[in-house]
Amino acid sequence: MTSNTQHDEQTPVDFDTLADNAFSRRQFLGGCVAFGATSFVSACATGTNKAQAASPLVFSALPASTADNVVVPEGFSWQVVAKWGDPLWSKGVEFDQNSRGTGASQELAFGDNNDGMAMFTKEGKHILAVNNEYVNRGIFHGNRADGKPINADDVRKSKAGHGVTVMEVTEKYGQWEVVKDSAYNRRITAPVRGHALVKTAANPKGDMANGTFNNCGNGETPWGTYLACEENFNGYFSSSDDTYKGSAEFKRYGIKNKDRGYRWAMTDERFDISKNPNEPNRFGYIVEIDPTDPTSTPKKRTALGRFKHENAEVVVAADGHVVVYMGDDERGEFLYKFISKNKYNKFGRNTDLLESGTIYVAKFSDKQTGEWIALTPATTGMSEAEIAIHTRIAASKVGATTMDRPEWVAANPLKAEVCCALTNNKNRAVKPNAGGDDTAVNGPNPRKKNNYGQIVRWMEDGGIHTAKTFKWDLFVTVGNPTVHNDAYAGSSNITEANIFNSPDGIKFDSQGRLWIQTDGKYSNKGDYANMGNNQMLLADTSTGEIKRFMTGPNEAEVTGITWSKDKKTLFVGIQHPGEKGNSHWPDGGSSVPRSAIIAIRRNDGGLIG
Ligand code: FEO
Ligand code: CA
Ligand code: CA
Ligand code: CA
């Protein structure tokens, strides 16, 4: 049974009519000019002058799959580029299926659970920066009886399985591979400045961060740097003193006494909150890395706020300021944007543009308008340092809209259209967020116990990314029309042929097409019947059409996306295959499942991005 009813109760904003009007008027006027108050689409916002509709990518949509493999459409091929444990230097050792590596081998190898990534080029070389978000403890420590670290080397290995990998890759005879021993190869175990809240025993001055971990989605800047976003940093902290009473701030950020299984505090007191209560304040940031300079020191950009950062979508607004859109992936948390104080200079130094500026949080009205509220000492009653460190609390004070877990934000390079994947939220209209904020259903989060997710889309007023007001709609409300015939069936662009749940990674390609990756339930039963494994879909935001392009192996998430410079290769991340013990991807047989980056190409050598 297919129900194609439109379940969004609001009158949809007709983005495309507005876009068409804006474009025809712009073309008529022949330049970047301000339109009337209702015309908010302008290619000028990103300095481009291209047509607004996405170019189609021709392929036959795939059926849902439960195969323990990657499937791509006819006319496309895929290969593994790098998988967890692959050595990046010739002094490293090949992955050991029994021990699954040691501290020493893992420090010289690609980390586990790859997530956000971006390709950089320098002097003809392809340099891939990739997040290794976390480790699948049951697999990573599968040589231990309970799948948990038991000694200092296991913890060393766990830390090395995290962080960021920078590695050169090259294409030989049509196959991409890692360039071992490249001068660019690097594992980041690098170092908020000075404020009393971030001074710790490991760094009494509070000026070095001493590492990064749980880097989820990513960003990239026009000046050639990579942004790694620290997400679930709370899970690595615990207390050796069961009676330790954490602060209200700890509660808001989910920092608890009980160890979650990483056992880092077992060998490193930095992670013992009863001994070093300020240590967690040094995590939850966006880290800026220059992948083309192996000697550069990564920097935590505290002005972008501290929360469970998903990704960081960077755009240069028409007025030259840099805007970074960011989601805080937790039930009932918020959507943010940062506007730099200084302007981007195409021919100058931009290295500290993310050092100073203002962070704003989104407040959506039910009438499909919204505003960005500045988090400042005047609006929050908090100091600038407190806003940077306890950003969630600042946002609650200004009445931001609680969201259904904001995952990636993506900005269309061809028009001032921005989307955010709201992955799901079982707590919607069930209980408040950790700060006590109400989570009743609201405009962009319209369903109680939202188990499927939606993608909210907005256009900044005036077509300029620095605007303080916007208009929004839901590009898609995900659901299952084979099971439900109410709001949980989804919006009209969800059909039996393209159903999925829990949109997470999203990215527009250079042609203005929206790629959607999922991190959802893969039971293929009940509410999730007929959806199969996690997958990647391609959407045309002008028409609303969504087609399934790729399906992933068993118990894997599809996350992370970037392209080769010539746009003939699409790189995609496959994360946590077999997280519940039911996959042998990618090597098959009885092998240990390993997260990996794959390369997808068209068999005719054409463009794919
Ligand atoms: Fe690491 Fe919110 O996904
Ligand atoms: Ca994610
Ligand atoms: Ca997710
Ligand atoms: Ca996942």
Side-chain angles (χ1 to χ4, degrees), residues 234 247-256 308 328 330-334 392-393 396 402-403 425 427 431-439:
N234 57 314
S247 62
E249 289 82 7
F250 273 19
K251 177 160 185 264
R252 184 62 185 269
Y253 284 87
I255 296 154
K256 297 179 176 164
K308 294 188 179 179
D328 179 354
E330 185 108 69
R331 298 179 189 101
E333 289 295 341
F334 308 127
R392 285 182 168 180
I393 293 169
S396 285
T402 59
M403 308 296 283
N425 182 0
N427 290 348
K431 64 180 195 182
N433 72 10
D437 299 325
D438 178 80
T439 67

Side-chain angles (χ1 to χ4, degrees), residues 37-91:
T38 56
S39 297
F40 46 83
V41 174
S42 166
C44 303
T46 50
T48 64
N49 213 14
K50 298 175 189 167
Q52 54 94 22
S55 310
L57 180 69
V58 177
F59 67 93
S60 297
L62 292 176
S65 169
T66 55
D68 189 23
N69 210 350
V70 168
V71 183
V72 295
E74 201 178 319
F76 295 78
S77 305
W78 66 275
Q79 58 143 133
V80 170
V81 180
K83 52 198 175 195
W84 160 46
D86 281 350
L88 305 177
W89 291 273
S90 47
K91 62 185 175 189

Side-chain angles (χ1 to χ4, degrees), residues 518-564:
T518 73
D519 173 25
K521 294 274 202 301
Y522 36 70
S523 65
N524 210 29
K525 290 186 197 143
D527 275 354
Y528 308 99
N530 306 309
M531 293 180 173
N533 291 348
N534 278 304
Q535 51 192 278
M536 183 166 73
L537 307 100
L538 186 58
D540 180 338
T541 60
S542 302
T543 62
E545 185 186 23
I546 301 171
K547 286 170 69 177
R548 188 182 291 117
F549 178 82
M550 190 203 90
T551 54
N554 291 343
E555 301 177 357
E557 165 182 350
V558 180
T559 185
I561 182 167
T562 190
W563 289 267
S564 59

Side-chain angles (χ1 to χ4, degrees), residues 585-603:
W585 189 87
D587 298 326
S590 58
S591 65
V592 173
R594 295 159 75 186
S595 295
I597 295 170
I598 64 169
I600 303 176
R601 308 207 306 172
R602 281 169 54 163
N603 294 344

Side-chain angles (χ1 to χ4, degrees), residues 222-414:
W223 52 94
T225 58
Y226 180 74
L227 304 177
C229 309
E230 295 175 342
E231 192 185 24
N232 295 305
F233 65 91
N234 57 314
Y236 300 82
F237 294 91
S238 61
S239 174
S240 56
D241 172 4
D242 291 346
T243 64
Y244 180 74
K245 289 262 179 295
S247 62
E249 289 82 7
F250 273 19
K251 177 160 185 264
R252 184 62 185 269
Y253 284 87
I255 296 154
K256 297 179 176 164
N257 287 359
K258 189 172 161 32
D259 181 82
R260 314 270 176 105
Y262 287 108
R263 297 184 173 168
W264 285 10
M266 176 173 77
T267 59
D268 188 346
E269 284 193 350
R270 280 175 65 204
F271 297 95
D272 185 335
I273 53 175
S274 64
K275 297 196 168 120
N276 283 295
N278 280 346
E279 192 67 36
N281 293 344
R282 305 206 294 176
F283 298 91
Y285 297 104
I286 285 177
V287 189
E288 184 170 11
I289 296 165
D290 181 355
T292 66
D293 177 1
T295 65
S296 60
T297 303
K299 291 185 178 157
K300 296 213 176 182
R301 296 303 187 186
T302 55
L304 276 63
R306 175 171 167 265
F307 41 89
K308 294 188 179 179
H309 279 286
E310 184 67 26
N311 82 327
E313 181 73 335
V314 182
V315 291
V316 177
D319 61 8
H321 291 277
V322 171
V323 173
V324 187
Y325 292 101
M326 304 171 285
D328 179 354
D329 180 11
E330 185 108 69
R331 298 179 189 101
E333 289 295 341
F334 308 127
L335 176 67
Y336 297 86
K337 82 171 173 186
F338 167 87
I339 304 179
S340 67
K341 177 170 167 233
N342 297 318
K343 294 183 178 179
Y344 175 65
N345 179 347
K346 196 168 179 187
F347 305 104
R349 271 172 62 82
N350 297 287
T351 47
D352 285 324
L353 270 181
L354 302 182
E355 191 67 27
S356 47
T358 304
I359 188 164
Y360 296 77
V361 67
K363 187 169 186 175
F364 290 79
S365 89
D366 291 349
K367 299 192 188 317
Q368 296 194 279
T369 60
E371 58 183 314
W372 293 103
I373 305 177
L375 301 181
T376 66
T379 61
T380 64
M382 296 164 66
S383 70
E384 283 185 9
E386 288 168 337
I387 294 167
I389 296 168
H390 295 131
T391 313
R392 285 182 168 180
I393 293 169
S396 285
K397 288 188 182 209
V398 301
T401 301
T402 59
M403 308 296 283
D404 287 349
R405 294 186 55 201
E407 299 255 24
W408 293 44
V409 181
N412 190 329
L414 307 188

Side-chain angles (χ1 to χ4, degrees), residues 558-587:
V558 180
T559 185
I561 182 167
T562 190
W563 289 267
S564 59
K565 192 177 181 191
D566 65 8
K567 311 287 187 209
K568 291 183 176 177
T569 303
L570 166 63
F571 296 90
V572 173
I574 304 295
Q575 195 194 57
H576 65 65
E579 64 174 351
K580 294 182 177 156
N582 299 299
S583 170
H584 298 287
W585 189 87
D587 298 326

Side-chain angles (χ1 to χ4, degrees), residues 155-175:
V155 172
R156 176 181 168 195
K157 173 177 151 186
S158 171
K159 286 180 173 172
H162 287 71
V164 177
T165 298
V166 179
M167 58 191 178
E168 184 184 338
V169 293
T170 189
E171 190 186 3
K172 275 190 195 158
Y173 311 111
Q175 294 280 301

